[in-house]
Amino acid sequence: MIAMTNIVKRFGDKTVLNDVNFHVAQREIFGLLGPSGAGKTTIINILTNQLTPEGGQYEIGATSKETGLMLEEDGLYKRLTTTQNLNLFAGIYGVDKSKVQPALDSVGLGQDAKTQVARLSKGMRQRLALARAILHSPKVLFLDEPTAALDPSTAQGIHKLILNLRDQGATIFLTTHNMEEAVDLCDTVALLYQGKIVEHGSPKAICDKHNSYKTVCDLGSVFMKMTGVTV
């Protein structure tokens, strides 16, 4: 469903992605893990045609209208209400507006349908951006740090929603530096460090490879062992 082959990306003299290779199967939750500045968002921007690489090839098995996107910058209209924001995007995607309230309900914003976005907390805006991303039932969903600003209870609810979307047929590509989140959610992960994939596979397989003596999967320890960096 998603693939990158020998991708290279530079900004000026700086190489931010260096020979990146991975693939994501249909109906899989794929996690791209790494510290801030590792190149995670750059990879999403390439896959969604917002950036052009200097080398390599990539492909995605969905059209732009079959793709959902939630980035760090939410792009919401702060003077509009939550409902007005989703109504606007429903028109862009050609989605019936009857789907707006269920989308708000699914991210815990059902009681805030008439609330102006400017009055929402950062975490609530993040949930609204997720509701917008799933409004049109995308085949492929890109989530950039989807629970970064959320409290543990709300994050758990978002995790359940992500798993449900996968079970309904969506392929989900998420970036995170939360190793526990990756273990809980992801079928496959890639560890990204300084623009290179340093490990790739299921969380359990990676942990077994590097920490065979442990009974609990600890991707954070694996990353620290391989790079010397704490994520």
Short mmCIF file of all heavy atoms in Angstrom, two decimals, residues 188-220:
data_model
loop_
_atom_site.label_atom_id
_atom_site.label_comp_id
_atom_site.label_asym_id
_atom_site.label_seq_id
_atom_site.Cartn_x
_atom_site.Cartn_y
_atom_site.Cartn_z
N THR A 188 3.92 -3.10 12.52
CA THR A 188 5.31 -2.98 12.07
C THR A 188 5.84 -1.60 12.45
O THR A 188 5.08 -0.63 12.43
CB THR A 188 5.42 -3.16 10.54
OG1 THR A 188 4.81 -4.40 10.17
CG2 THR A 188 6.88 -3.17 10.09
N VAL A 189 7.11 -1.52 12.79
CA VAL A 189 7.72 -0.23 13.08
C VAL A 189 9.06 -0.13 12.34
O VAL A 189 9.69 -1.13 12.00
CB VAL A 189 7.96 -0.02 14.59
CG1 VAL A 189 6.65 -0.02 15.36
CG2 VAL A 189 8.92 -1.06 15.16
N ALA A 190 9.46 1.11 12.11
CA ALA A 190 10.80 1.41 11.60
C ALA A 190 11.42 2.43 12.53
O ALA A 190 10.77 3.41 12.90
CB ALA A 190 10.73 1.95 10.18
N LEU A 191 12.65 2.18 12.94
CA LEU A 191 13.37 3.10 13.80
C LEU A 191 14.22 4.02 12.93
O LEU A 191 15.08 3.54 12.18
CB LEU A 191 14.26 2.34 14.79
CG LEU A 191 13.58 1.25 15.63
CD1 LEU A 191 14.56 0.67 16.64
CD2 LEU A 191 12.35 1.79 16.34
N LEU A 192 13.96 5.32 13.01
CA LEU A 192 14.63 6.31 12.17
C LEU A 192 15.58 7.15 13.01
O LEU A 192 15.19 7.71 14.03
CB LEU A 192 13.58 7.21 11.51
CG LEU A 192 14.08 8.25 10.50
CD1 LEU A 192 14.59 7.57 9.24
CD2 LEU A 192 12.95 9.23 10.15
N TYR A 193 16.82 7.23 12.56
CA TYR A 193 17.83 8.01 13.28
C TYR A 193 18.73 8.71 12.28
O TYR A 193 19.31 8.08 11.40
CB TYR A 193 18.66 7.11 14.20
CG TYR A 193 19.73 7.83 14.97
CD1 TYR A 193 19.39 8.82 15.89
CD2 TYR A 193 21.07 7.52 14.79
CE1 TYR A 193 20.37 9.49 16.61
CE2 TYR A 193 22.06 8.18 15.50
CZ TYR A 193 21.70 9.18 16.41
OH TYR A 193 22.67 9.85 17.12
N GLN A 194 18.81 10.03 12.41
CA GLN A 194 19.65 10.85 11.53
C GLN A 194 19.39 10.54 10.05
O GLN A 194 20.32 10.42 9.24
CB GLN A 194 21.13 10.67 11.88
CG GLN A 194 21.47 11.21 13.27
CD GLN A 194 22.94 11.12 13.60
OE1 GLN A 194 23.70 10.39 12.97
NE2 GLN A 194 23.35 11.86 14.61
N GLY A 195 18.10 10.41 9.72
CA GLY A 195 17.71 10.25 8.34
C GLY A 195 17.86 8.85 7.77
O GLY A 195 17.67 8.65 6.57
N LYS A 196 18.18 7.86 8.62
CA LYS A 196 18.35 6.49 8.14
C LYS A 196 17.48 5.53 8.95
O LYS A 196 17.30 5.72 10.16
CB LYS A 196 19.81 6.05 8.23
CG LYS A 196 20.78 6.93 7.45
CD LYS A 196 22.17 6.34 7.39
CE LYS A 196 22.24 5.24 6.36
NZ LYS A 196 23.64 4.81 6.10
N ILE A 197 16.94 4.51 8.30
CA ILE A 197 16.22 3.45 8.99
C ILE A 197 17.27 2.50 9.59
O ILE A 197 18.03 1.86 8.85
CB ILE A 197 15.31 2.66 8.04
CG1 ILE A 197 14.28 3.58 7.37
CG2 ILE A 197 14.62 1.52 8.78
CD1 ILE A 197 13.20 4.11 8.27
N VAL A 198 17.31 2.44 10.92
CA VAL A 198 18.33 1.61 11.58
C VAL A 198 17.77 0.25 11.98
O VAL A 198 18.55 -0.66 12.29
CB VAL A 198 18.93 2.33 12.80
CG1 VAL A 198 19.68 3.58 12.35
CG2 VAL A 198 17.87 2.68 13.84
N GLU A 199 16.45 0.10 11.99
CA GLU A 199 15.83 -1.20 12.27
C GLU A 199 14.40 -1.18 11.77
O GLU A 199 13.77 -0.13 11.71
CB GLU A 199 15.87 -1.49 13.78
CG GLU A 199 15.51 -2.92 14.16
CD GLU A 199 16.39 -3.98 13.52
OE1 GLU A 199 16.06 -4.36 12.37
OE2 GLU A 199 17.37 -4.41 14.15
N HIS A 200 13.89 -2.36 11.39
CA HIS A 200 12.55 -2.44 10.79
C HIS A 200 11.99 -3.82 11.06
O HIS A 200 12.69 -4.83 10.91
CB HIS A 200 12.66 -2.18 9.28
CG HIS A 200 11.38 -2.30 8.53
ND1 HIS A 200 11.08 -3.40 7.77
CD2 HIS A 200 10.31 -1.47 8.45
CE1 HIS A 200 9.87 -3.24 7.22
NE2 HIS A 200 9.39 -2.08 7.62
N GLY A 201 10.71 -3.89 11.48
CA GLY A 201 10.07 -5.17 11.73
C GLY A 201 8.96 -5.01 12.74
O GLY A 201 8.58 -3.90 13.12
N SER A 202 8.40 -6.11 13.20
CA SER A 202 7.37 -6.04 14.24
C SER A 202 8.04 -5.63 15.55
O SER A 202 9.22 -5.93 15.77
CB SER A 202 6.67 -7.38 14.41
OG SER A 202 7.52 -8.31 15.05
N PRO A 203 7.30 -4.94 16.44
CA PRO A 203 7.91 -4.57 17.73
C PRO A 203 8.48 -5.78 18.47
O PRO A 203 9.59 -5.71 19.01
CB PRO A 203 6.74 -3.94 18.49
CG PRO A 203 5.87 -3.37 17.43
CD PRO A 203 5.94 -4.35 16.30
N LYS A 204 7.76 -6.88 18.47
CA LYS A 204 8.24 -8.07 19.18
C LYS A 204 9.52 -8.63 18.55
O LYS A 204 10.46 -8.99 19.26
CB LYS A 204 7.16 -9.16 19.19
CG LYS A 204 7.55 -10.40 20.00
CD LYS A 204 6.46 -11.42 20.00
CE LYS A 204 6.84 -12.60 20.91
NZ LYS A 204 8.11 -13.24 20.58
N ALA A 205 9.54 -8.69 17.21
CA ALA A 205 10.72 -9.23 16.54
C ALA A 205 11.95 -8.37 16.82
O ALA A 205 13.05 -8.90 17.03
CB ALA A 205 10.47 -9.33 15.04
N ILE A 206 11.77 -7.05 16.81
CA ILE A 206 12.90 -6.16 17.08
C ILE A 206 13.39 -6.34 18.52
O ILE A 206 14.59 -6.42 18.79
CB ILE A 206 12.50 -4.69 16.82
CG1 ILE A 206 12.29 -4.48 15.32
CG2 ILE A 206 13.58 -3.74 17.34
CD1 ILE A 206 11.75 -3.10 14.97
N CYS A 207 12.45 -6.41 19.46
CA CYS A 207 12.83 -6.60 20.86
C CYS A 207 13.51 -7.94 21.08
O CYS A 207 14.50 -8.04 21.80
CB CYS A 207 11.61 -6.46 21.76
SG CYS A 207 10.98 -4.78 21.90
N ASP A 208 12.97 -8.98 20.46
CA ASP A 208 13.58 -10.31 20.60
C ASP A 208 15.00 -10.32 20.04
O ASP A 208 15.89 -10.97 20.59
CB ASP A 208 12.74 -11.35 19.87
CG ASP A 208 11.43 -11.66 20.58
OD1 ASP A 208 11.29 -11.26 21.76
OD2 ASP A 208 10.55 -12.30 19.98
N LYS A 209 15.21 -9.59 18.95
CA LYS A 209 16.53 -9.56 18.32
C LYS A 209 17.57 -8.88 19.20
O LYS A 209 18.72 -9.34 19.30
CB LYS A 209 16.42 -8.84 16.98
CG LYS A 209 17.75 -8.67 16.24
CD LYS A 209 17.53 -7.95 14.91
CE LYS A 209 18.85 -7.70 14.20
NZ LYS A 209 18.62 -6.97 12.90
N HIS A 210 17.16 -7.79 19.84
CA HIS A 210 18.13 -6.98 20.59
C HIS A 210 18.07 -7.19 22.10
O HIS A 210 19.01 -6.82 22.80
CB HIS A 210 17.91 -5.50 20.28
CG HIS A 210 18.19 -5.14 18.86
ND1 HIS A 210 19.45 -4.85 18.40
CD2 HIS A 210 17.37 -5.06 17.77
CE1 HIS A 210 19.41 -4.57 17.11
NE2 HIS A 210 18.16 -4.69 16.70
N ASN A 211 16.96 -7.73 22.60
CA ASN A 211 16.78 -7.91 24.03
C ASN A 211 16.13 -9.26 24.31
O ASN A 211 15.07 -9.33 24.91
CB ASN A 211 15.91 -6.79 24.63
CG ASN A 211 16.57 -5.43 24.55
OD1 ASN A 211 17.50 -5.15 25.27
ND2 ASN A 211 16.06 -4.60 23.65
N SER A 212 16.76 -10.32 23.88
CA SER A 212 16.15 -11.64 23.97
C SER A 212 15.93 -12.08 25.42
O SER A 212 15.10 -12.95 25.69
CB SER A 212 17.03 -12.67 23.25
OG SER A 212 18.33 -12.68 23.80
N TYR A 213 16.64 -11.47 26.35
CA TYR A 213 16.51 -11.86 27.75
C TYR A 213 15.32 -11.19 28.44
O TYR A 213 14.98 -11.53 29.56
CB TYR A 213 17.78 -11.51 28.52
CG TYR A 213 18.14 -10.05 28.48
CD1 TYR A 213 17.68 -9.17 29.45
CD2 TYR A 213 18.94 -9.54 27.45
CE1 TYR A 213 17.99 -7.82 29.39
CE2 TYR A 213 19.26 -8.20 27.40
CZ TYR A 213 18.79 -7.34 28.37
OH TYR A 213 19.11 -6.02 28.31
N LYS A 214 14.67 -10.23 27.76
CA LYS A 214 13.57 -9.50 28.38
C LYS A 214 12.24 -10.13 28.05
O LYS A 214 12.04 -10.67 26.97
CB LYS A 214 13.58 -8.03 27.94
CG LYS A 214 14.75 -7.24 28.50
CD LYS A 214 14.56 -5.76 28.25
CE LYS A 214 15.66 -4.95 28.93
NZ LYS A 214 15.47 -3.50 28.76
N THR A 215 11.30 -10.03 28.99
CA THR A 215 9.96 -10.57 28.76
C THR A 215 9.01 -9.48 28.29
O THR A 215 7.96 -9.77 27.74
CB THR A 215 9.40 -11.21 30.03
OG1 THR A 215 9.40 -10.24 31.09
CG2 THR A 215 10.25 -12.40 30.46
N VAL A 216 9.34 -8.21 28.52
CA VAL A 216 8.50 -7.09 28.10
C VAL A 216 9.21 -6.33 26.98
O VAL A 216 10.40 -6.02 27.08
CB VAL A 216 8.22 -6.14 29.28
CG1 VAL A 216 7.40 -4.93 28.82
CG2 VAL A 216 7.50 -6.87 30.40
N CYS A 217 8.47 -6.05 25.91
CA CYS A 217 9.06 -5.36 24.77
C CYS A 217 9.39 -3.92 25.15
O CYS A 217 8.53 -3.17 25.60
CB CYS A 217 8.10 -5.39 23.58
SG CYS A 217 8.83 -4.75 22.06
N ASP A 218 10.64 -3.53 24.99
CA ASP A 218 11.08 -2.18 25.33
C ASP A 218 11.84 -1.58 24.15
O ASP A 218 13.06 -1.69 24.05
CB ASP A 218 11.96 -2.23 26.58
CG ASP A 218 12.36 -0.84 27.08
OD1 ASP A 218 12.00 0.16 26.41
OD2 ASP A 218 13.02 -0.75 28.12
N LEU A 219 11.08 -0.96 23.23
CA LEU A 219 11.70 -0.37 22.04
C LEU A 219 12.61 0.80 22.41
O LEU A 219 13.58 1.07 21.72
CB LEU A 219 10.62 0.10 21.07
CG LEU A 219 9.88 -0.99 20.29
CD1 LEU A 219 8.77 -0.37 19.45
CD2 LEU A 219 10.83 -1.78 19.41
N GLY A 220 12.28 1.48 23.51
CA GLY A 220 13.13 2.59 23.93
C GLY A 220 14.54 2.13 24.24
O GLY A 220 15.52 2.78 23.87
#
